[in-house]
Amino acid sequence: MADTTGHPTEPGVTSETDRPMRPSSWRHIGPGIVVAATGVGAGDLVATLIAGSSFGYTLLWAAIVGCLVKISLAEAAGRWHLSTGRTLFDGWASLGRWTTWFFAVYAVVWGFVYGAAAMSSSALPLQALFPDVMDLKWWAIACGLTGLVFVWFNRYAVFEKVMTVLVGVMFLVTVYLAIRVTPNLPDAFAGLLPVLPDEKDSVLNTLGLIGGVGGTITLAAYGYWVNAKGWTDTGWMKVMRLDNRVAYATTGIFVVAMLFVGAEMLHSANVAIASGDKGLIQLGDILEAEYGPATAKFFLIGFFATSYTSLIGVWHGVSLMFADFVARLRPGTEAARGEEVASGARERSWPFRAYLLWLTFPPIVLLFQDQPFRLVIVYGVLGAAFLPFLAGTLLWLLNSGRTPRAWRNGPLSNTMLALAGLLFLVLCVKQIWDQPWSEFF
């Protein structure tokens, strides 16, 4: 019996991390819920809404392909952690110092700009729900500070439980909206056929939808959350794979539900909404006019859950990666082990908390002024480059002697990672091409 990577489920070759295989069980599910909640932000929902409003159900298949691509990336990251007992950054470091420099620049620039964006995104639905309480900027600061306090004082177990509750809210809201708009099921099933819209730039729009489904750096954080859960050896491999599939099945439900809303409410009425988080506020107004204030408020609660899970997910997951990055740089450190992440030592370390502070306080400055033009361009380029970097390095690591032979990539996993790398490379080149470089210099 083969798994999704093309390997047998009970390999005959053992390594120092091999343990008796635990049966996959729903009661162990956890890190997948966290990565699904963190990866699906307000921007993903807006992108799917716009795809539905522009093309109806035509690109439903692309949203599903996007989930399959991300399954392969997250599974590969989790497999590295479990099969080697080493963290992903330790694997990157073994490929050369260039990976260290890339991650260092990425973590500093990306974290600075993302912090402001995440706080603003979480603040928008709160201001819409409570318009007379305070200004958007102060709501944003409140979201950032509560995220900081929550992650600072809680370990992974509590973090996972809170994320699970918020995912439940997201699930209820998106499924309720999808049912309320009464989707045209024959058209939806027709949307499963891989065809392109008859529009200008339809290929790039389709690739953008595939690439935008559920997560960027959070895919790399998945392996760290797997370790934080206490899964540190190959005995957890079946459990991790079930957990990962649940994650992207959940993600698929979110994006398909929002595509239904876009196709039925916006496409059929020829209504356009703005890109970015403000598009969801516009959708709230449309829902209020169509179904009443109760549905609109219910939607805004789901909007907040979507944005806030991305905020606290990044606050925790990327801080965990940064703490591992710093630990690996210390003199005499040979390998960063998954057991150290599982022990909770990383979450109590000063680098973890320093990066938490970096995500929270410096970005507050951006809330009170226009974002620095050049910095935003660098942020966009680095963000676009991360997924090709992740796909390429996972291909390298999982096909080399760094991974025990029994857990190296099979043909299916190699194919999926290669396709993911090519897809994200195309999107990266487009992102770089579209930047206003003439104004940068």
Side-chain angles (χ1 to χ4, degrees):
M1 178 179 174
D3 59 45
T4 55
T5 66
H7 280 299
T9 54
E10 295 183 1
V13 181
T14 61
S15 74
E16 63 176 5
T17 62
D18 276 343
R19 298 290 186 275
M21 193 71 70
R22 294 171 175 82
S24 54
S25 171
W26 293 96
R27 66 188 177 89
H28 293 304
I29 297 301
I33 296 297
V34 172
V35 77
T38 307
V40 179
D44 298 292
L45 296 187
V46 173
T48 311
L49 270 174
I50 291 175
S53 67
S54 300
F55 308 117
Y57 294 103
T58 306
L59 292 182
L60 179 59
W61 66 272
I64 294 172
V65 169
C67 291
L68 295 176
V69 167
K70 300 297 177 66
I71 283 175
S72 66
L73 284 166
E75 189 277 340
R79 180 156 42 94
W80 166 265
H81 278 250
L82 295 182
S83 65
T84 65
R86 298 161 62 189
T87 65
L88 185 55
F89 187 80
D90 191 59
W92 285 340
S94 73
L95 301 179
R97 293 186 62 85
W98 66 275
T99 60
T100 301
W101 285 108
F102 176 83
F103 183 81
V105 174
Y106 180 90
V108 172
V109 176
W110 183 88
F112 181 50
V113 181
Y114 180 83
M119 287 187 271
S120 296
S121 179
S122 299
L124 276 169
L126 291 177
Q127 189 189 42
L129 283 166
F130 309 105
D132 301 322
V133 174
M134 56 183 169
D135 184 72
L136 179 66
K137 295 182 178 63
W138 296 107
W139 276 120
I141 292 170
C143 289
L145 292 178
T146 55
L148 168 70
V149 171
F150 172 72
V151 175
W152 188 292
F153 289 105
N154 288 291
R155 301 281 75 84
Y156 175 79
V158 176
F159 165 72
E160 182 189 288
K161 287 181 173 64
V162 171
M163 292 288 273
T164 301
V165 171
L166 292 173
V167 165
V169 174
M170 293 166 60
F171 186 88
L172 286 174
V173 171
T174 54
V175 171
Y176 167 76
L177 289 178
I179 295 172
R180 190 68 192 267
V181 300
T182 316
N184 185 321
L185 293 181
D187 285 354
F189 282 118
L192 296 175
L193 295 174
V195 297
L196 295 175
D198 187 18
E199 301 281 347
K200 182 182 178 182
D201 296 330
S202 61
V203 173
L204 290 175
N205 288 330
T206 303
L207 292 178
L209 179 61
I210 294 172
V213 175
T216 51
I217 194 172
T218 54
L219 292 163
Y222 178 65
Y224 288 86
W225 285 322
V226 163
N227 285 160
K229 181 75 170 176
W231 306 347
T232 57
D233 57 59
T234 56
W236 292 102
M237 197 70 76
K238 282 186 178 179
V239 178
M240 182 274 292
R241 284 170 170 155
L242 174 64
D243 179 75
N244 179 45
R245 290 164 191 157
V246 169
Y248 283 95
T250 305
T251 300
I253 290 171
F254 291 152
V255 298
V256 168
M258 294 309 288
L259 191 138
F260 281 6
V261 174
E264 292 297 335
M265 287 201 68
L266 306 178
H267 181 69
S268 59
N270 198 25
V271 174
I273 62 171
S275 60
D277 301 340
K278 291 184 179 178
L280 291 184
I281 296 295
Q282 285 181 267
L283 179 62
D285 295 336
I286 295 168
L287 287 169
E288 182 170 4
E290 186 74 21
Y291 300 114
T295 296
K297 291 187 185 304
F298 188 49
F299 166 72
L300 289 172
I301 292 170
F303 177 5
F304 172 73
T306 301
S307 298
Y308 197 65
T309 51
S310 293
L311 185 151
I312 60 175
V314 166
W315 264 228
H316 186 276
V318 184
S319 297
L320 205 55
M321 293 180 68
F322 185 80
D324 189 49
F325 162 72
V326 173
R328 183 63 178 74
L329 294 180
R330 290 172 183 162
T333 302
E334 294 184 0
R337 311 297 299 182
E339 287 88 349
E340 295 173 50
V341 180
S343 71
R346 292 281 189 266
E347 295 168 277
R348 296 188 293 271
S349 66
W350 70 262
F352 180 91
R353 290 175 169 172
Y355 196 72
L356 265 179
L357 296 173
W358 175 254
L359 283 167
T360 307
F361 288 104
I364 288 175
V365 175
L366 299 183
L367 299 175
F368 289 91
Q369 63 182 29
D370 293 333
Q371 294 187 358
F373 179 72
R374 290 182 176 84
L375 186 63
V376 171
I377 290 180
V378 174
Y379 163 80
V381 171
L382 285 172
F386 185 81
L387 283 177
F389 167 79
L390 177 62
T393 54
L394 285 172
L395 269 171
W396 192 344
L397 290 170
L398 293 169
N399 283 292
S400 71
R402 298 172 179 83
T403 303
R405 184 176 296 278
W407 298 108
R408 293 177 196 168
N409 279 357
L412 179 58
S413 187
N414 274 329
T415 300
M416 292 298 291
L417 288 177
L419 288 174
L422 180 61
L423 163 68
F424 295 123
L425 183 61
V426 170
L427 293 175
C428 177
V429 170
K430 181 179 184 298
Q431 177 81 356
I432 294 171
W433 182 268
D434 289 344
Q435 297 296 334
W437 294 108
S438 60
E439 301 173 31
F440 182 88
F441 299 102

